Amino acid sequence: MKPADIALAPIPGTPSLRPDGRQAVLAVRRPDLDADDYTSQLWLVDTDGAARPRQLTHGWRDGEPCWSPDGEWIAFTRCERAADGTAGKPQIWVLPTAGGDARRLTDHPLGAAEPSWSPDSTRLAYVARVPENDRYGTAAGIGPEKEPPRRITRLKYRLDGVGFLDDRPAHVWVVDLEGQTHQVTDGDADHGAADWSPSGDLLTFAAARHDNAGNDLRLDVWVCRPDGSGLRALTSGGLAADQPRFSPDGTVICFTANDLGPDERHGVARAESLWSVPVTGGTPTRLTDEATHQLGHGARIVAAGDGVLFPDEHRGSVRLLLVPYGGGEPRVLVDGPRQVTGVARVGDVLVTVIADQDSWGELVTGSGTVLTDFSGPFRDAAGVRPLTEIEAVAPDGYPVHGWVVRPDGPGPHPVLLMIHGGPFAQYGWGLFDEAQVYAGAGYAVVMGNPRGSSGYGQAHGQAIRGNVGEASAVDLLTLLDAALADSSLDARRVGVLGGSHGGFMTTWMAGHHGDRFKAAISERAVNAIDSFSGSSDIGWFFADDLYGPDPERQRQQSPLTYADGITIPTLIIHSESDWRCPVEQAQRLYVALRRRGVTTELLLFPGEGHEMSRAGLPSHRIARFEAILDWWSRHL
């Protein structure tokens, strides 16, 4: 894979099924290098495989399709492209399935998202941010530099990739097929996507509407009538709830949540479990074991007739579980070396979007029939280097799991130890552009899930808390040594790299184990915990929870503390608008190394946030890959 081959990486979204299950619709997103942007369209797929998948829409950026219960409409979001090439804000559109043009239903200045049909197919609930007067382009001639100052009174006041929150809260809205809109919720709280009760008389959503909202992580499940009346909470603290869904009989609401602990601020390395609560009120019940099950990153649950479909992280895979409403042992519906990224079910018809080591994601039936070949052009043009699973044993006897992606040829190949972010996240069974690009350039890539990662149980994830660098390094070096036992890998030429927490660990490795590596690339890293606590959008809770609240222990765990021990060439990559790990984290490390004469470069990307390597401008993603390959060619 070459850097520009990201244009051949289509990413399918969550599917939606026609009410009779005969067809599915889903969005497919890909980079457009000429436009230096992302485009997506809706695709229609027959679930019996009788006809080839066909492109349904031709908008610039169409997504979030949702089939109406009567089968007559497909609702979706669309960003129209202006004459100057810029994409507008997403709005809710509907497309008649019997034929005809799509038409727009909403016109919100900051866009609309997450449409959900009422049971009678006459209305849609959705979410839209409501800006304060005279902000965000709502007043002619007033740009960001002329807006009044923001008065900030809460800890959670901004979010990387979104911006400031207090002056544009997200609210639930309802729109009918004539485009008449009604705002359901009010106040200064953010509200999540809404789900309709089977009878259509209630909406449910998650929101932080309690007195201390914005100073903790608590999110409760709420219900109200579609006109906003009768608002009441079904949970009362202790949880960070998300994705509430009515059961098919309307008696309970299932939702995902993290158990936050007594102060409602402990959200790090805690499993996102499945819960339920009666619609009439009562004590929430946990349906999945937090010790063993964890919702897949970004995955959505589906409330089906016989249980809840729950994508579950498991040793680098994301398997699909069917969780009974009454609790008990889940049934595994999809398993193996693959990742379920989207699910839809109608009656006995189940479709999933599945990514594996040969595909960015394809639509697959419940029986395992692959209905699409979106990744075929990539495989034909770029080829795929396979994942080789490896197991290692740490000095204390603990198992460490990972993979090696090898380049073509007999070797010996230079080696890259690549460290994921999170840390409560996982590498796994899927096509990963980073590994494919580096292997395509001749490097063997070692990547794994040391203690601190998700997918191996909650105890595995929490094992590094309070001693992050030292504890993680043991497992990472164990995995590296196991990989280097292969004579086709050159132990004399090893580099280390990673982003976010992976950047933290890269800087830590360079300062503590620099003799093991020839060079390093630390990207969007946490380097100094003290300043991260106040400058990061999540630092106010994340730092104390992961590293511990003691300032001296935080100093001892900060990679910047050991910058004097870094002697290997170090490339620092960061985005100027990163609010998750702010750019000062990179600047402090860069200055510390340059003042000592270490071979160091700082690569800064303007206008990008924390997700630049995954969702930044295509031109920036390609430039980043080229800079990384240039660095390794010079130093490895």
Side-chain angles (χ1 to χ4, degrees), residues 105-439:
L105 297 183
T106 65
D107 187 21
H108 291 278
L110 300 183
E114 303 192 79
S116 173
W117 282 101
S118 64
D120 62 3
S121 302
T122 64
R123 295 170 294 173
L124 287 151
Y126 62 96
V127 175
R129 291 194 174 274
V130 180
E132 286 183 359
N133 291 334
D134 300 338
R135 288 196 190 275
Y136 302 105
T138 57
I142 298 181
E145 73 284 352
K146 294 183 179 180
E147 291 181 356
R150 292 179 172 87
R151 187 179 300 277
I152 295 168
T153 61
R154 301 187 291 190
L155 290 170
K156 183 180 179 181
Y157 65 92
R158 60 193 178 111
L159 188 64
D160 181 75
V162 175
F164 291 100
L165 302 174
D166 290 358
D167 51 14
R168 49 175 171 180
H171 285 295
V172 176
W173 294 69
V174 168
V175 62
D176 63 23
L177 291 175
E178 300 304 317
Q180 298 298 311
T181 61
H182 170 72
Q183 185 174 333
V184 177
T185 60
D186 56 19
D188 59 1
D190 268 355
H191 297 75
D195 187 53
W196 294 82
S197 65
S199 61
D201 62 336
L202 290 175
L203 291 169
T204 184
F205 48 84
R209 298 177 62 96
H210 56 286
D211 290 342
N212 198 41
N215 296 310
D216 55 37
L217 300 177
R218 171 181 165 185
L219 285 165
D220 289 311
V221 175
W222 296 78
V223 292
C224 70
R225 298 185 187 93
D227 63 2
S229 64
L231 181 67
R232 56 191 173 91
L234 296 184
T235 59
S236 57
L239 301 175
D242 194 17
Q243 299 192 63
R245 303 283 188 269
F246 281 96
S247 62
D249 64 6
T251 61
V252 301
I253 291 175
C254 297
F255 60 97
T256 64
N258 295 100
D259 194 341
L260 299 174
D263 68 356
E264 299 184 330
R265 288 193 187 180
H266 293 288
V268 177
R270 282 165 174 79
E272 189 168 1
S273 302
L274 183 66
W275 297 69
S276 71
V277 63
V279 175
T280 55
T283 302
T285 301
R286 191 197 304 269
L287 301 181
T288 55
D289 182 1
E290 67 176 337
T292 56
H293 297 303
Q294 157 69 20
L295 182 70
H297 178 70
R300 298 189 178 189
I301 62 172
V302 173
D306 52 352
V308 181
L309 299 172
F310 183 87
D312 176 51
E313 290 188 353
H314 180 67
R315 292 179 56 81
S317 70
V318 179
R319 58 188 182 178
L320 183 62
L321 305 182
L322 180 66
V323 183
Y325 287 106
E329 189 64 24
R331 180 158 61 97
V332 179
L333 301 183
V334 178
D335 204 355
R338 54 188 60 88
Q339 297 186 345
V340 175
T341 63
V343 182
R345 183 172 168 184
V346 170
D348 294 332
V349 179
L350 170 69
V351 292
T352 58
V353 174
I354 292 180
D356 58 26
Q357 62 175 324
D358 295 314
S359 169
W360 305 103
E362 306 293 349
L363 191 68
V364 182
T365 67
S367 62
T369 301
V370 181
L371 299 172
T372 61
D373 189 26
F374 296 126
S375 296
F378 170 81
R379 290 193 299 271
D380 294 341
V384 175
R385 271 82 177 176
L387 291 163
T388 301
E389 197 170 11
I390 58 172
E391 297 270 2
V393 179
D396 63 354
Y398 196 85
V400 187
H401 181 218
W403 297 265
V404 178
V405 182
R406 293 178 174 82
D408 293 336
H413 306 291
V415 180
L416 302 178
L417 174 64
M418 191 163 61
I419 309 171
H420 68 62
F424 198 56
Q426 65 168 6
Y427 281 141
W429 294 104
L431 262 180
F432 186 28
D433 60 350
E434 302 272 338
Q436 293 296 318
V437 166
Y438 306 146

